[in-house]
């Protein structure tokens, strides 16, 4: 592999070249114009080498240094970077008298985020009114947990007093623009797994074309010939990455538009299997060490978690939903890897945790005793 010379190396080469081709000159001595000329030449050559290094990284998707270059790689396969999307959900108006809410009525969160009412509604008297809303701005920051209070800026007419709060399930589905590494992995997966008219890898590619879908597992022939079941996660959007019914329906509807006509598709959310962890005699037992252990454990469940299924185990297709367990050794290793941990005892679990079909391991209650 070609090693790009350092600036000092290039400067030494330029000085040596002056001594060789311009007899009697000495680019090492100051002051003289040859000394300055050697520095200028070395600097220009170093810039050229730096640009050549940048170009060499742009050639491959695995080393592309910026999102603009990755977009060029993705465009060759028809894989655009996934855009941001607004949060959606329901809010509840609780009123002591008549109220009317118009389409596109604006509601505001305490931090200034604005939501628009999608479906209008009214009440002739006291009661509760549930309406759909969508965030005015895109991004995960538009998501809101259940119970968050909102205030009306416009489009609400009320005879009495009322309150507005986010309904059960919260406002979800707000998604940031796909980050560089996620986009890179999609492009590399597409390069390594060319379309095969409905192979298992095709379903992974199709599923990940929906914003927010992060991990996908495919179960072939799960209910007989021609049947395919797709499990997926939306990490960072839903707790433990497990999507809600609306997200499942949205993905099902999309894949049905691109899959082979002879297949019968089922899209499902994984079933969470909480695994409780009890750690005894943590040394040193400090808040900082406990937080480090929690961080490592959550990262392990995210990195090593998969969906169990009835498909065949295949080393070349790690995305198949095949029989799986969550290994006890992974928990040991995660705790031991946490920063500042000197020693500990693991009281629970004591054996590997087998997963049933459709289940995925998620962190349960993590206790320190």
């Amino acid at each position: 592999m070609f090693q790009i010379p350092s600036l000092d190396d290039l400067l030494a080469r330029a000085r040596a070249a002056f001594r060789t081709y311009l007899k009697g000159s000495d680019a090492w001595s100051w002051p003289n114009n040859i000394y300055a000329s050697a520095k200028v030449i070395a600097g220009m050559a170093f810039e050229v080498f730096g640009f050549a290094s940048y170009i060499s990284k742009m050639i491959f998707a695995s080393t592309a240094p910026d999102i603009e270059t990755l977009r060029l790689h993705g465009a060759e396969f028809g894989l655009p970077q996934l855009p941001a999307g607004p949060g959606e959900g329901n809010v509840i108006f609780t009123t002591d008298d008549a109220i009317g809410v118009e389409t596109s009525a604006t509601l505001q969160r305490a931090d200034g985020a604005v939501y628009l009412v999608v479906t209008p509604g009214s009440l002739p008297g006291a009661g509760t009114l549930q309406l759909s809303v969508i965030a005015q701005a895109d991004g995960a920051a538009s998501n809101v947990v259940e119970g968050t209070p909102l205030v009306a800026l416009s489009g609400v007419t009320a005879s009495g007093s009322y309150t507005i709060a986010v309904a059960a399930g919260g406002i979800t589905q707000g998604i940031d623009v796909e980050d560089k590494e996620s986009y890179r992995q999609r492009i590399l997966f597409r390069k390594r797994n060319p379309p095969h008219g409905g192979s298992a890898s095709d379903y992974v590619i199709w599923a990940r074309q929906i914003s927010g879908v992060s991990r996908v597992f495919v179960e072939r022939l799960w209910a007989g010939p021609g049947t395919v079941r797709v499990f997926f996660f939306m990490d960072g959007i839903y707790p433990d990455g497990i999507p809600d019914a609306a997200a499942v329906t949205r993905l099902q509807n999309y894949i049905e538009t691109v899959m082979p006509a002879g297949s019968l598709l089922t899209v499902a959310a994984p079933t969470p299997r909480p695994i409780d962890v009890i750690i005894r005699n943590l040394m040193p037992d400090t808040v900082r060490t406990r937080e480090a252990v929690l961080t490592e454990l959550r990262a392990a469940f995210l990195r090593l978690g998969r969906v169990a299924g009835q498909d065949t185990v295949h080393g070349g297709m790690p995305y198949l939903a095949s029989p799986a367990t969550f290994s006890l050794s992974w928990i040991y290793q995660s705790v031991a890897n946490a920063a500042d941990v000197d020693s500990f005892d693991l009281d629970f679990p004591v054996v590997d945790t087998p997963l049933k079909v459709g289940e995925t391991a998620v962190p349960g209650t993590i206790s320190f005793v």
Side-chain angles (χ1 to χ4, degrees):
M1 182 176 180
F2 179 76
Q3 185 68 36
I4 294 178
S6 67
L7 181 57
D8 288 339
D9 289 338
L10 291 170
L11 179 56
R13 293 181 189 181
R15 286 170 171 169
F18 272 113
R19 176 172 289 182
T20 300
Y21 300 109
L22 189 61
K23 300 299 183 182
S25 66
D26 189 355
W28 274 273
S29 300
W30 175 258
N32 69 70
N33 63 331
I34 302 300
Y35 180 93
S37 298
K39 282 194 168 185
V40 172
I41 293 170
M44 294 177 65
F46 187 70
E47 184 177 4
V48 171
F49 274 115
F51 183 68
S53 173
Y54 177 75
I55 293 295
S56 69
K57 293 177 181 178
M58 292 176 64
I59 295 172
F60 305 101
S62 58
T63 57
D66 50 53
I67 194 65
E68 290 77 13
T69 304
L70 278 175
R71 289 192 186 117
L72 294 175
H73 284 283
E76 293 180 347
F77 295 96
L79 291 178
Q81 184 184 15
L82 298 178
E88 301 178 30
N90 297 314
V91 299
I92 295 178
F93 291 78
T94 303
T95 178
D96 60 8
D97 207 335
I99 190 173
V101 183
E102 303 172 1
T103 302
S104 296
T106 57
L107 313 178
Q108 189 177 58
R109 201 168 62 189
D111 63 355
V114 174
Y115 300 85
L116 305 179
V117 174
V118 177
T119 55
S122 62
L123 284 175
T128 59
L129 178 66
Q130 179 167 302
L131 300 176
S132 299
V133 298
I134 186 171
Q136 189 177 49
D138 295 334
S142 64
N143 295 331
V144 189
V145 299
E146 174 184 345
T148 300
L150 304 174
V151 296
L153 298 181
S154 65
V156 178
T157 304
S159 301
S161 61
Y162 63 92
T163 60
I164 311 170
V166 177
I171 294 176
T172 61
Q173 302 176 28
I175 301 168
D176 295 327
V177 175
E178 184 177 23
D179 64 67
K180 184 172 70 174
E181 291 311 312
S182 173
Y183 191 30
R184 189 194 309 278
Q185 291 307 312
R186 282 204 304 126
I187 294 171
L188 291 175
F189 189 92
R190 168 60 181 79
K191 284 190 170 187
R192 295 163 182 164
N193 299 274
H196 288 94
S199 66
S201 61
D202 288 347
Y203 286 88
V204 177
I205 293 171
W206 295 329
R208 294 211 58 197
Q209 288 173 347
I210 295 297
S211 294
V213 174
S214 53
R215 291 179 286 154
V216 182
F217 293 88
V218 180
E219 188 176 18
R220 304 167 298 178
L221 309 177
W222 77 280
T227 61
V228 180
R229 181 158 57 173
V230 174
F231 297 96
F232 70 105
F233 294 86
M234 301 183 80
D235 297 305
I237 300 176
Y238 297 97
D240 298 316
I242 297 175
D244 63 11
V248 171
T249 300
R250 188 167 68 253
L251 184 59
Q252 171 104 22
N253 291 342
Y254 172 71
I255 296 180
E256 285 178 346
T257 66
V258 294
M259 62 182 281
S263 300
L264 181 62
L265 173 69
T266 299
V267 176
T271 302
R273 172 68 184 280
I275 298 179
D276 296 334
V277 178
I278 301 176
I279 300 169
R280 184 181 298 276
N281 299 327
L282 179 66
M283 294 296 293
D285 191 358
T286 64
V287 172
R288 175 178 173 176
T289 308
R290 290 189 178 193
E291 287 299 322
V293 169
L294 292 173
T295 299
E296 287 289 342
L297 283 172
R298 294 188 188 109
F301 276 94
L302 177 63
R303 183 178 67 257
L304 301 169
R306 55 177 299 109
V307 181
Q310 305 172 84
D311 210 323
T312 305
V313 176
H314 194 296
M317 294 187 285
Y319 43 82
L320 294 181
S322 51
T325 61
F326 197 83
S327 175
L328 178 64
S329 65
W330 298 341
I331 298 176
Y332 267 111
Q333 185 178 29
S334 299
V335 179
N337 286 345
D340 299 330
V341 170
D342 291 330
S343 62
F344 66 95
D345 296 318
L346 186 62
D347 278 8
F348 190 85
V350 295
V351 296
D352 295 346
T353 303
L355 302 176
K356 297 178 181 178
V357 172
E359 286 188 337
T360 186
V362 300
T365 301
I366 301 173
S367 307
F368 298 89
V369 296

